[in-house]
Amino acid sequence: MQYIPEPVGPVPSADMGLPEEARRLAEQLVEPLGRRWLHVQAVARRASAAAPAVKQSDRGALIAAAWLHDIGYAPAIGHTRFHPLDGARYLKGQGWPANVVNLVAHHSGARFEAEQRGLAAELAEFPFADNALLDALVFADLTTGPAGESLTYDERISEILCRYAPDDPVHRTWIKAGPILKEAVERTERRLLNT
């Protein structure tokens, strides 16, 4: 049985204020992008609901990274036009905690898209950790549609593949990354069922 927590209410601002600080920055950089802001808000709510799947000490970083995962789309910081890399570089330059920076850099299969775009060496600047924390961020992002709607993982991947042409790097990424990221989502679902 698939467990998909529904977004409910605002994201709490616990855990040293990091999520609230992240929310403010995301609002500044992403809200002007329109529909993407709806997605980011819903991903943050989904991450909050998925927080029991990670250690208590990691929950603030998870929620903060959920708020910040798409800031690299902001034109002011989107220098390479590869949003995970641009967002992570910006956050690193602003002194954000390394675990949040690395989550933003590697969210939702960024390593696969970096290969497609010839940016793997640049993304390697940020350590990759295959762990429950990254799994939970993948879960939150890949069960939330582009306008904040709640989707299953399969619905989300289908939506992505329909939105991008087969020769687009994003489409090619999901053909390769899809099965691997589905495992991350399923691991988070199992962790949530066992909490």
Side-chain angles (χ1 to χ4, degrees):
M1 179 175 179
Q2 188 173 36
Y3 178 83
I4 299 178
E6 288 299 316
V8 288
V11 174
S13 61
D15 298 314
M16 303 168 290
L18 194 60
E20 183 58 28
E21 190 176 339
R23 184 202 60 76
R24 283 193 298 269
L25 179 58
E27 185 173 23
Q28 176 188 349
L29 292 172
V30 182
E31 186 177 28
L33 304 179
R35 186 170 83 149
R36 186 159 308 281
W37 178 234
L38 298 174
H39 169 75
V40 166
Q41 292 175 87
V43 170
R45 287 190 299 270
R46 180 67 50 101
S48 181
V54 302
K55 295 185 299 189
Q56 178 87 26
S57 60
D58 286 337
R59 292 175 183 174
L62 169 63
I63 297 166
W67 278 112
L68 298 169
H69 79 284
D70 277 353
I71 65 166
Y73 282 113
I77 65 173
H79 305 296
T80 69
R81 302 186 59 86
F82 179 46
H83 78 278
L85 179 61
D86 291 331
R89 283 181 169 167
Y90 177 81
L91 293 170
K92 182 178 180 181
Q94 295 296 309
W96 281 78
N99 60 346
V100 173
V101 172
N102 295 337
L103 284 168
V104 169
H106 291 287
H107 77 275
S108 301
R111 66 192 186 278
F112 298 99
E113 189 173 342
E115 288 177 20
Q116 291 292 324
R117 294 182 180 278
L119 293 169
E122 289 85 345
L123 191 64
E125 167 187 343
F126 303 97
F128 173 76
D130 193 6
N131 58 27
L133 191 52
L134 183 59
D135 284 354
L137 182 58
V138 168
F139 169 86
D141 189 22
L142 297 183
T143 59
T144 304
E149 63 274 33
S150 181
L151 300 175
T152 66
Y153 174 80
D154 290 334
E155 289 169 336
R156 177 73 160 126
I157 300 313
S158 178
E159 176 274 320
I160 291 169
L161 292 174
C162 287
R163 198 162 20 114
Y164 293 93
D167 62 339
D168 189 282
V170 174
H171 189 101
R172 292 191 313 261
T173 293
W174 290 103
I175 296 299
K176 183 174 181 179
I180 295 164
L181 296 175
K182 184 172 189 166
E183 292 174 8
V185 170
E186 290 170 346
R187 285 190 299 267
T188 298
E189 291 168 348
R190 285 192 300 273
R191 289 178 184 118
L192 288 169
L193 287 172
N194 292 323
T195 60

